[in-house]
Amino acid sequence: AATGKRNSMPPKGRLGGSKFTSVEKLNGHRHYYVKELRGAEVILQNACGEPKEHASDVKTLKDKSVWRTGWVTLEEIKEAEGGRLNEVVKVCFRCKGSGAIECKTCYGEGEVYRDAPT
């Protein structure tokens, strides 16, 4: 289920070593890096623990509902409470979550979704 939101990424030829965070855990891990390119496939390997590979393609890596560019911090993963990282909600810094002012960041909701423009 694509969200229409895309990760900005380097050209395919320069993906080697790029870091990604999986929105859902894969083989018990979220943090991966591009190990190699095999034709149309991108081979990712988990960053810690026993090495495990995961095959993907560039189109899937660009989809923010599946992958995030870079490594999301442990704090942000804990905020997701084991759920999908794209559902992490942060308190709006402008209205401090009160929703009391007409706020262009949270539109008076008091919460800002990670993908919301700031």
Side-chain angles (χ1 to χ4, degrees):
T3 63
K5 298 188 180 192
R6 300 176 58 154
N7 288 311
S8 60
M9 295 176 37
K12 185 178 175 188
R14 291 197 234 163
L15 274 176
S18 295
K19 300 172 184 177
F20 290 89
T21 299
S22 174
V23 171
E24 298 289 340
K25 282 188 178 183
L26 299 172
N27 300 317
H29 300 280
R30 289 190 194 264
H31 295 141
Y32 286 81
Y33 66 92
V34 176
K35 181 178 177 184
E36 64 180 290
L37 302 171
R38 292 183 191 158
E41 280 189 325
V42 178
I43 307 302
L44 297 124
Q45 182 171 314
N46 58 303
C48 62
E50 183 179 332
K52 295 182 182 180
E53 292 182 354
H54 178 78
S56 188
D57 57 39
V58 173
K59 184 178 179 181
T60 305
L61 287 177
K62 287 182 178 181
D63 186 347
K64 281 189 171 184
S65 71
V66 181
W67 291 96
R68 293 303 173 115
T69 306
W71 288 342
V72 177
T73 67
L74 181 59
E75 178 182 295
E76 290 169 317
I77 291 172
K78 286 179 181 177
E79 286 177 16
E81 296 178 9
R84 298 175 64 85
L85 291 177
N86 59 358
E87 294 174 356
V88 174
V89 176
K90 296 193 177 207
V91 173
C92 178
F93 70 94
R94 290 200 173 111
C95 72
K96 308 294 185 258
S98 70
I101 59 173
E102 184 60 36
C103 179
K104 291 182 181 180
T105 301
C106 72
Y107 300 101
E109 296 293 320
E111 296 176 334
V112 178
Y113 288 88
R114 170 187 287 271
D115 293 332
T118 53

